[in-house]
Each structure stands twice: as structure tokens, then as C-alpha cells.
Amino acid sequence: MLHQYAPAIPRLGLPAFRTGTEALHGAAWLGEATVFAQAVGLGATWNPELVEAVGEAAAVEVRALHAKDPAVSLNVWAPTVNLLRDPRWGRNEEGYSEDVLLTAQLATAYCRGLRGDHPYYVRTAPTLKHFLAYNNETDRSETSSTLRPRVLHEYDLPVFTEPIAAGVVDAVMPSYNLVNGRPNHLSPHLNGRLRGPSDHELVVVSDAEAPSNLVETERYFDDHVQAVAAALRAGVDSFTDHGPDPSVTVARLTLALERGLIGQEDIDRAVRRLLELRVRTGELDLDGGPYSSIPEHAGDTPEHRALARRAAREQFVLLKNSGELLPLVSRTGFRVAVVGPFAHDLRTDHYSGTMPYRVTVAQGLRDALAPVGGEVVSADAMDRVTLRATSVDRLVRVDLGAPHPVLTCAAGSDGEDSELFDILDWGNEVSTVRSAATGRYVSVQADPPESAGSPASAPRRDVRVGTLVADRMQPDAWETLEAFTFVAQPDGTRLLRNLSTGRYVAVDGKTGELTASARGTEEAERFVTHLVRSGIDHSLELLRDADAAVVVVGNDPHINGRETQDRTTLALPPAQEELVRAVAGAHPRTVLVVMSSYPYAITWADANVPAILWSSHAGQETGNALADVLLGEHAPVGRLPQTWYRADDDLPDLLEYDIIKARRTYLYFDGQPLYPFGHGLTYTTFDYGRARSAVDAGNVVVRLDVTNSGRRDGVEVVQLYSRQLRPRVERPARRLQAFVRVALAAGETRSVELGFPVSELAYWDVAAGGPRVDTGEYELSVGRSSADLRASTRVFVSGADPRPRQILEHEVRAVDFDDYERVTLVDTTRESGDAVAPARTGPGWILFREARLGRAARRLTARVSRTGPGDALLTFRRDDPADGPLLGRLSVPSTGDRYAWTTIGTAIDAPPGTHDLYVVLDGEQRLDSFRFEA
């Protein structure tokens, strides 16, 4: 019962059970289901009520699928609450925001929708993922995120604990990465910080293959029996490993029990949690519980279609609108040219369901303009080419007469279109190839089938493995078999390499079929490409008689930024950048729509394109929703859930997780963003009155009037930020504390009240090991974004008074430092604790500010370990790490193992007083704690 696929137990009347149905923005991997906007798009709505409704719709559709097939799990693996600290993260689309408050509120709302409002039974059982500090894909099961206590408690942890404390979470999934050198599937926080605030048992489900990763990629244990035992003791209840086959996990756990690595009580505890989750779904009730009446036909209803349109509409963010170009004027004869790779196409991501229908941008505008006599012309801006295989001196064509549209150089003719291909360059030397004859993308026949539960279509078993076939609607599987790179040769020819398989394309000498089979360039076919039609030129032709141009660019969620692959740049693909510049240069009334899973550095467009909108990949109703916004049926109401930066140089290394030290997100970023967090325009204007504040019953309350001063009705997202005026420690430049959506008619004024608990002004006091609100004055600013603040007020808060850190006769944890340079955090033991070690570029230092010796210290001890031979040096200084007065120096001996800790000491003569204390670590070592003694 501890495997993802738990078998039936007939003698107990227990049916088979499986954890995990994907439901990130609708039911996924189970066929047709309503596809809502991506999670980052839902984040842009800043609308918990809407997000809750989407969660409810997703849960109803999961229930409907469960009614058809009881194997569909009612334990849903959603939402993703990882904070969007870096827009290059390959899974950026899965999170809501870079902000703690916004993420926690939207996650709580989505979970509430998934779970329902019954006091005990659940519609579905939500799972928060992925715990903890997980924002990189490349080598994700090998990299360790360094997370000091302040960042843990102020940033990463609350997005998990707050929804759990709200009572709307049933499970948590750890992430693949390590934190401070320890795999997250062994985190002491699973049984500690996470299960503490819950009013019911939480289930912890592993991520796929993560239990085996403990040995195979992370190399944290030497054998799998030790690994699964440690994970079970740490709090993992359900092991997602080896697909649907539980035998390997069962064998490992059985051996662990026989060896005494786990006890019967460990197994009982995990089984109890899993059974309690199943009981809450109603599965074990004779009548199936209160949600069992949801019928099989509850998916893709008119209500869900309308909700999908509303969600797509509300997530559009108007980034720029010079000269009030938007909304477009719809009138008889009004002609719009829609160009770009998403003019006729909508993309899904890895966690999307199958759309029951698709309303593209061109179609949505065409349908909206038709009743008023408007017209839409469109083009996808792809270059159309022919490919000639030089070895046989024949054009490549699609064999339309064959059972499957294979690519071949064999003799024959299926018409001119069969020899034409559309090339779309996604940047980073990645392209997709689409057949003009089939309208489908060229892919490589794969066998065996891709990962279980994948949204990929069934394998085409009657086509040879490696054959190129033009039959994929779009990339939509775990392996992006539609991604190719053209490799230029000195003689002007080009090789074609499939990125997923790593093989080059060759021509089969017997059949003439193209196969991705060549291991090296020598066996690869040489192709000559001939441009038949330029995508940009064709697009510009459509602009000649157009009243407005809409150019739609963005990303494919499966290419150059996806699960297992981070982005390498914020720049638009060069071909798309060229298209934007060409269209904007040719037409003064150009609207740029960026449809993407993440921000782009569109600095040229911001300076030169009059109107810019951003959208996530917003699901089946995207075209209708965009038409609603462009034509003014609904004004844009979205606000950015994360910062848009100007250039790659604005960002630190992707693996730098300390948002304070690395100056990440709007909280600490020192530069000028392209578009700030919370930014979003609309079709009217709003004025803010004077802000008034008070502290009442432990809450900070701010009141002010907001007026719609424009000519149109609109919705304003009023945002409240706090700033400590004279902080003792480094605090955010601004921190979102509350927000409210206010719908105002033109000319209407309304009094708005925003509030939050005084405790939300706290930071994590590393000296005390808990939250602390300092006494002092705080500025409260209200406005339209984190950078557009219209009214401010100040409030005095009585909190904790400043006091130095007492270090005499106190065990000081090394990890509880105030600042640092060139150090990293590591695990004290495999089970718990964090220690400090020099980074590879050492020596490094850690700083303890205002450290107080009440009287002279005569002895200094430290708990250390060292794996290498010889000694390392540990030095304690006042006021400066290099030249400050020396308090003591310790030689760290080899202990032979990183977990072999020893206490070392020396006599010192440190005078009393309060000073900044620097601890300098020189050479390979680990420091767990130290102590000054009188």
C-alpha cells in the first residue's frame, strides 16, 4: 500500500488505489477536458475567487472521469506553489507568482476549489508541490539549493504552510533537488514544519522515480534499502517509483523491515495516512460520499467553457498602450491582419489536458468582427521551403498515399504541397518542421511508448522506429521529438539533427524514407534548402490594406524551457524579434501579443510598438478572450505576477537561491525592471485619495478613496505594500501585504480598506530562531504596482526592542549568521541539521552582527568535521574578517567523514563588549556550531 499503485485487497473490501491525477489548470493526461489558462496566467488574474472557481471546475471534471473509470485518482497533484524567483526556470508556467502573499492566497483558493466546502469529505484531495526551494531543471536531481534560515522562513516555507494551515491541503510532494546538501525526500521539515499546522493527517507522495534517485543520481546512499527506509522515516508515505510496478518498492521496504531499518510502526503510520485520505474522498463509503453524485458527463460543460473564457480574459495583462491604440474600433470594413506563430495555433503544456476545441487568435477575432462587417487576414509567418536530399538528388516529400504520412525521397508525386515544408525557428538553433500538405509537424516515430501517463498520442507501431512522419498536431509529449536543428556545412548543405534522439536524419537506400538513424555526420544526409516564400514578407503583404496589425509571438512550452530544461536567455527567438520589428516598422497601428509561459526582455518592442499585451498559454478559449479584450468588450484587468527584466545581465546565476543576497524579485531587485511586479494597464484611469492608517486589535488597516477618473468602466487592483523605514537587518524595498479588486463605473468613487496582521511585518530573527517585529515606523504605500505607488502613510508599531545577540555560554548555530561570503550550507547529518562549509572558491566567512560578550571569554569551542587529511583553519575576528582583532583560531583536524563530528577548543582571552563577529573558514571543513565560555 506504500507504492503509488496500491493493489486491491478483496478480503478487506479495499479496491485498488493510485495516488496522483494531474490537475494543474484542468484535468490532464486523461483525454479531453477543459483546458484553463496556465497557472502563471491564473496568477496574473490576482483573483482568488476566480482561481477557486477554476479549481472547482477541474475537480468536477476529475470526479466525472473517476465516475467513468475508478482508476482515475481523486488525489490530485496540484497546485504548484514554487515561487517564481527566476524567469528562466523551465517550469515557470506552473507557478503563480514570485510573491509569497499572492502565491499563498491563490494556492489556498485553488485548493479550496479542488477540495470543496464539506467539513470532512473532499471533492478531490489536493497535493502541494514541489517542496522545497525548487527553481531549476537542468540536473535538478543532483543540484543543491542553498537556503539560509531567513530565506527559508520568510520566502520559501510560507507558500506551503499557509495553505496547509487553512485546512485545504491533503498531501505534499517533495521536489527532486537537494536543499543544503540533503535530498528533499529526506527533509526534516516533512514531519516538522509541514505537518505541524495541519488539522488532519497529511500524506507525502514522492515525485516520480525520486526514491531511486537517492542512490542513482544523488548518491546519498549506497543502497536502495537504506534509501527507502530513510525516506519512510522522514515522512514519505507513498513511493512513486518504477511506474505501475510496486514490486521493487515492496521488496526494498520488506528488506528494510527485516534489517531493522524501519519498524512496523513506520509502515502503519504511512498506511494510516493513505487510508484516511481515501476515507475523506468517500471511496470507502457505501454511497461513495457526498461528491459521488457528480456524473460522467460533467466535463466540458457550457459553464466550464464560459469559465475558461473568463479565466483567459482576466489573465491578459496590458503592458503598454500608447495613444490609446486599444481598444480597437470595430466597424464595417475594419480589417485586422493577424500574423505570427500563434495566429492559427494554440499550444498546450506538459500538464494540460486535451482541448475539446480550440479558438485561435485569428478565429476569435474573425468571429467577433464578422457581425459588424469586419475582416481578418492572417499568416503564421513561417518560412516555406523545399528540402533536396543531395545523395539521391530528389526533393523530400510527404507520402500522402501511404498509411502514414512518412517523409520520403522515393519516386512519386502527391502534388506540389507534399514537397513544401514550413520552418519555425524557436531560437537556440531549434526548429520545428511542418508539412504544408498535412498541416502537421514532422516527428520521429518513437517506440516503446513514452512515459506512462504522458499526454503523447499512442505509438504508431506499424511505422518503423526512427522514421520521420508528418502527423503531429504540435509538440505535446515528454520527449519533444518534433525539435530539430539544421547544421550548416562548409559546402552550403545542411544536416538535420533530431534533438531528442540525438540522431541525424538519413535517407534509407532501399525505401527512400527519411529516418533519424545516423549516429554521426558521416552517415547523415546532406540537404539543400530552397526558400519558396519568406514568412515575414508574406506577413507584410497582408498589412497593406489592414487597419491594424496584431503580431502574436511567444514560446512553445515544450521547447527551450520546460521540465528538465531551463531557459538560457530572456530574449525572444531572433526570428520572432525580426518579425516584430518588421511589422511595427511597416504598420503604425501594431499590437504585440506575447503569448508565453514566462517573461521576455522585449526592450525594443517596449520602445517602438504602441500596444503590448501579455498572455500565458490560456487554453481553448484564448481567441475569444483576446477578441473580448482587443475590441473593448472587456477591459484588461490582469496584473503581472512576476518582474519582467530588461536583460539577462539583470539576473544572477540560476542556482543562486538567496533572494536577499542575489537581489532577486521585486523585493530586493536594485535595477529598473522593464515591467514591475503588479504592473498592468486598462482602458480607463484611476485616482487615489489620501491614505489613512491605524493599528487596531493586532491588525494594520489602511483606508483611502479610489476614483475611476476615466470614461470607461473598469476594474482596479489596489495593492498595499509595506517598508520598514529604519531596519536593523536588510529588509525588502517593498513587500506586498494586501490587495483588493475594485470594479468602478466611470466617475465612481469608492472607499477602499486594506488590512493585514501586524505579525506580517516580521522578519526571521536568526539570533532568536523565530519571527520578530521590530519596534519602529513603517511606511505603507498604495498603488497600481510595486513601482507605481499613488498614496503613502506611516504607522508606528510597538514590537521587539533592539538587543544584541548573547553569545557567551550559548551554543551558536553556524547557520544562524546574518551575512556571509563564499560559503555554502551542507547537511549536519542525513536526518537533520544544517552546517556551514567554505564554497569551492574559499576561504569564506560568516557574520554575526552585534554579538555580545557580557564578560571576558576564556575558552572557545567549535563542533566541526573534515573529510580530507591534514588540518583546516577556523578563525574568529571582531569587526572585519581580514584585519579585525583576533579572538581565537582553531585547527580543524580530519575526522574522516563529513558526518563524523568532533568538538575542538582552545584557550582565548576575548574582552567583553558588543561587536560584529566574523568566523573565517579556510580549507575544506564543516562548522556546525561554536561556543564562547567564561
Side-chain angles (χ1 to χ4, degrees):
M1 295 184 73
L2 302 187
H3 188 263
Q4 180 189 22
Y5 289 81
I9 307 178
R11 67 183 177 85
L12 298 178
L14 280 176
F17 176 74
R18 176 177 66 85
T19 60
T21 291
E22 300 293 352
L24 182 62
H25 52 111
W29 301 11
L30 297 169
E32 286 192 358
T34 305
V35 177
F36 297 94
Q38 291 177 305
V40 69
L42 296 177
T45 69
W46 288 55
N47 189 343
E49 177 271 327
L50 171 61
V51 172
E52 180 176 345
V54 172
E56 179 177 349
V60 166
E61 297 201 10
V62 169
R63 274 280 178 177
L65 292 163
H66 177 78
K68 293 179 186 178
D69 179 6
V72 173
S73 179
L74 296 175
N75 165 228
V76 293
W77 286 356
T80 294
V81 296
N82 299 103
L83 291 155
L84 307 183
R85 59 164 37 92
D86 193 308
R88 296 168 299 187
W89 181 35
R91 300 178 78 171
N92 190 87
E93 66 206 19
E94 295 184 37
Y96 292 121
S97 172
E98 69 183 33
D99 180 71
V100 172
L101 175 75
L102 183 57
T103 296
Q105 288 200 11
L106 296 182
T108 300
Y110 195 69
C111 288
R112 188 175 290 115
L114 289 171
R115 205 170 190 268
D117 55 8
H118 193 280
Y120 182 78
Y121 289 97
V122 298
R123 189 184 288 119
T124 60
T127 303
L128 297 182
K129 57 181 191 177
H130 313 80
F131 187 82
L132 174 72
Y134 170 45
N135 288 117
N136 67 280
E137 293 304 301
T138 304
D139 299 327
R140 61 184 178 174
S141 63
E142 301 172 34
T143 58
S144 180
S145 307
T146 299
L147 203 64
R148 58 168 163 150
R150 273 201 65 188
V151 180
L152 168 69
H153 290 282
E154 294 177 22
Y155 195 65
D156 286 271
L157 196 56
V159 293
F160 289 91
T161 56
E162 290 181 17
I164 290 171
V168 294
V169 176
D170 291 284
V172 175
M173 177 188 288
S175 52
Y176 284 113
N177 60 302
L178 302 88
V179 166
N180 298 346
R182 181 183 297 106
N184 276 324
H185 283 73
L186 304 179
S187 173
H189 298 305
L190 298 180
N191 281 332
R193 298 286 180 179
L194 291 188
R195 287 190 163 119
S198 179
D199 62 355
H200 57 270
E201 287 274 30
L202 285 181
V203 169
V204 174
V205 299
S206 85
D207 210 338
E209 310 309 313
S212 289
N213 287 348
L214 293 170
V215 174
E216 294 170 7
T217 60
E218 294 165 337
R219 297 178 179 84
Y220 203 69
F221 291 97
D222 294 329
D223 73 82
H224 290 288
V225 176
Q226 285 182 309
V228 296
L232 183 67
R233 293 195 308 268
V236 175
D237 304 305
S238 178
F239 291 77
T240 311
D241 213 357
H242 290 83
D245 177 14
S247 63
V248 176
T249 295
V250 170
R252 291 171 179 173
L253 285 167
T254 301
L255 279 173
L257 184 63
E258 292 172 355
R259 293 183 190 176
L261 298 176
I262 56 174
Q264 184 66 43
E265 67 278 6
D266 297 308
I267 297 172
D268 290 348
R269 181 173 58 248
V271 170
R272 184 187 71 244
R273 290 169 179 156
L274 288 160
L275 285 174
E276 286 187 5
L277 182 147
R278 295 171 68 176
V279 168
R280 289 196 297 275
T281 67
E283 170 197 338
L284 304 184
D285 285 25
L286 292 177
D287 63 356
Y291 294 107
S292 63
S293 59
I294 295 174
E296 294 182 11
H297 53 78
D300 189 31
T301 62
E303 293 79 12
H304 288 181
R305 292 185 174 195
L307 182 61
R309 183 169 181 167
R310 179 189 167 198
R313 185 169 61 230
E314 290 198 17
Q315 54 91 59
F316 276 100
V317 181
L318 181 59
L319 300 174
K320 182 183 178 184
N321 192 22
S322 293
E324 296 186 353
L325 174 58
L326 295 178
L328 299 175
V329 177
S330 56
R331 52 175 169 75
T332 300
F334 190 77
R335 183 184 176 94
V336 179
V338 180
V339 299
F342 301 112
H344 306 135
D345 206 357
L346 300 180
R347 295 295 166 108
T348 55
D349 58 44
H350 184 56
Y351 291 96
S352 296
T354 301
M355 296 184 195
Y357 61 91
R358 296 166 182 252
V359 183
T360 66
V361 172
Q363 189 60 50
L365 279 169
R366 188 171 288 118
D367 292 344
L369 287 171
V372 296
E375 182 183 2
V376 170
V377 292
S378 56
D380 51 28
M382 296 187 194
D383 286 343
R384 180 157 289 184
V385 304
T386 59
L387 297 170
R388 180 174 295 276
T390 59
S391 67
V392 293
D393 195 26
R394 285 180 180 161
L395 291 179
V396 176
R397 65 182 178 86
V398 177
D399 188 350
L400 300 177
H404 298 278
V406 298
L407 272 63
T408 180
C409 289
S413 176
D414 296 290
E416 181 183 353
D417 280 356
S418 69
E419 297 174 342
L420 299 176
F421 297 91
D422 298 326
I423 308 298
L424 186 52
D425 184 352
W426 295 101
N428 287 358
E429 300 182 340
V430 180
S431 296
T432 50
V433 180
R434 190 181 68 184
S435 165
T438 66
R440 298 298 179 98
Y441 286 87
V442 174
S443 181
V444 176
Q445 167 60 20
D447 197 38
E450 293 168 294
S451 60
S454 163
S457 58
R460 305 172 288 273
R461 293 185 178 276
D462 52 347
V463 179
R464 212 157 39 111
V465 175
T467 301
L468 269 59
V469 182
D471 68 348
R472 292 302 289 253
M473 186 171 182
Q474 66 178 39
D476 69 348
W478 181 257
E479 293 292 336
T480 310
L481 292 164
E482 299 76 26
F484 295 86
T485 184
F486 286 91
V487 184
Q489 299 299 293
D491 61 0
T493 64
R494 303 165 82 186
L495 312 183
L496 190 59
R497 182 173 178 265
N498 183 261
L499 293 183
S500 180
T501 64
R503 301 290 183 87
Y504 291 90
V505 174
V507 175
D508 189 293
K510 295 181 179 179
T511 66
E513 292 180 358
L514 273 63
T515 62
S517 57
R519 295 181 181 273
T521 59
E522 296 79 9
E523 302 85 28
E525 180 62 44
R526 266 67 175 166
F527 295 98
V528 174
T529 59
H530 171 68
L531 181 64
V532 176
R533 185 184 69 197
S534 161
I536 290 180
D537 290 347
H538 179 53
S539 298
L540 295 180
E541 289 174 8
L542 301 182
L543 303 184
R544 291 175 183 169
D545 299 320
D547 295 293
V550 177
V551 55
V552 194
V553 299
N555 78 304
D556 183 303
H558 298 84
I559 296 173
N560 290 340
R562 45 160 289 173
E563 188 165 357
T564 74
Q565 181 191 27
D566 294 306
R567 300 166 71 196
T568 59
T569 179
L570 301 179
L572 275 174
Q576 294 189 33
E577 179 76 18
E578 185 181 359
L579 174 67
V580 172
R581 295 187 183 213
V583 173
H587 203 296
R589 294 174 58 80
T590 293
V591 180
L592 172 62
V593 178
V594 180
M595 192 177 297
S596 67
S597 306
Y598 32 63
Y600 279 109
I602 51 170
T603 52
W604 186 91
D606 178 64
N608 295 278
V609 179
I612 306 174
L613 278 161
W614 173 75
S615 169
S616 72
H617 293 281
Q620 63 205 46
E621 285 283 346
T622 299
N624 286 332
L626 180 56
D628 290 342
V629 171
L630 289 179
L631 300 178
E633 289 297 315
H634 292 270
V637 296
R639 300 293 186 267
L640 288 181
Q642 64 187 130
T643 304
W644 284 46
Y645 299 94
R646 292 182 175 275
D648 296 340
D649 291 344
D650 286 339
L651 293 168
D653 188 277
L654 184 64
L655 295 180
E656 177 52 79
Y657 274 75
D658 188 339
I659 64 166
I660 304 173
K661 194 78 168 178
R663 318 308 296 169
R664 282 194 183 277
T665 78
Y666 82 96
L667 295 168
Y668 295 99
F669 182 56
D670 296 321
Q672 289 295 321
L674 180 63
Y675 304 116
F677 171 77
H679 173 70
L681 308 176
T682 188
Y683 296 156
T684 188
T685 56
F686 296 93
D687 292 339
Y688 284 64
R690 186 174 65 89
R692 305 171 302 279
S693 61
V695 177
D696 182 17
N699 292 306
V700 178
V701 179
V702 176
R703 298 178 179 88
L704 76 163
D705 291 339
V706 178
T707 301
N708 182 343
S709 54
R711 300 186 302 273
R712 292 174 173 268
D713 298 348
V715 175
E716 177 70 321
V717 180
V718 182
Q719 304 166 37
L720 172 63
Y721 295 86
S722 69
R723 179 171 71 95
Q724 188 175 356
L725 292 178
R726 297 174 184 82
R728 294 179 63 246
V729 301
E730 190 159 17
R731 302 296 307 275
R734 295 273 185 265
R735 180 184 173 188
L736 182 69
Q737 294 288 10
F739 63 91
V740 62
R741 290 163 52 91
V742 184
L744 295 172
E748 182 183 2
T749 297
R750 187 176 303 174
S751 179
V752 174
E753 180 177 298
L754 303 101
F756 59 93
V758 170
S759 59
E760 292 301 313
L761 295 170
Y763 63 94
W764 187 260
D765 184 352
V766 289
R772 171 189 173 102
V773 177
D774 280 340
T775 295
E777 206 170 19
Y778 294 79
E779 182 180 67
L780 306 171
S781 300
V782 186
R784 308 200 71 247
S785 77
S786 59
D788 184 3
L789 301 170
R790 304 295 183 87
S792 293
T793 181
R794 295 183 179 185
V795 64
F796 184 86
V797 172
S798 296
D801 292 326
R803 60 181 184 272
R805 183 198 298 247
Q806 302 295 329
I807 61 171
L808 189 66
E809 307 294 354
H810 287 273
E811 194 80 13
V812 180
R813 296 197 317 160
V815 74
D816 288 331
F817 52 74
D818 292 292
D819 198 2
Y820 64 97
E821 287 289 348
R822 297 183 302 279
V823 299
T824 188
L825 300 186
V826 293
D827 51 340
T828 305
T829 71
R830 285 190 170 91
E831 291 76 29
S832 64
D834 298 317
V836 176
R840 293 180 181 178
T841 57
W845 54 258
I846 50 179
L847 165 64
F848 301 83
R849 289 196 176 95
E850 299 180 23
R852 178 171 176 75
L853 291 173
R855 57 187 187 277
R858 302 302 181 192
R859 184 167 179 79
L860 172 64
T861 61
R863 187 167 184 258
V864 296
S865 74
R866 172 172 161 80
T867 58
D871 293 336
L873 204 59
L874 189 61
T875 304
F876 293 74
R877 293 185 182 274
R878 282 187 351 203
D879 302 327
D880 186 274
D883 303 318
L886 178 68
L887 299 180
R889 182 178 285 123
L890 298 169
S891 291
V892 180
S894 174
T895 61
D897 186 272
R898 61 184 179 179
Y899 302 129
W901 293 92
T902 188
T903 298
I904 57 176
T906 186
I908 62 172
D909 185 11
T914 301
H915 298 272
D916 286 347
L917 171 66
Y918 287 88
V919 182
V920 183
L921 297 87
D922 191 358
E924 181 265 317
Q925 59 180 295
R926 293 178 168 218
L927 173 63
D928 175 67
S929 59
F930 60 87
R931 183 184 183 95
F932 285 87
E933 299 173 357

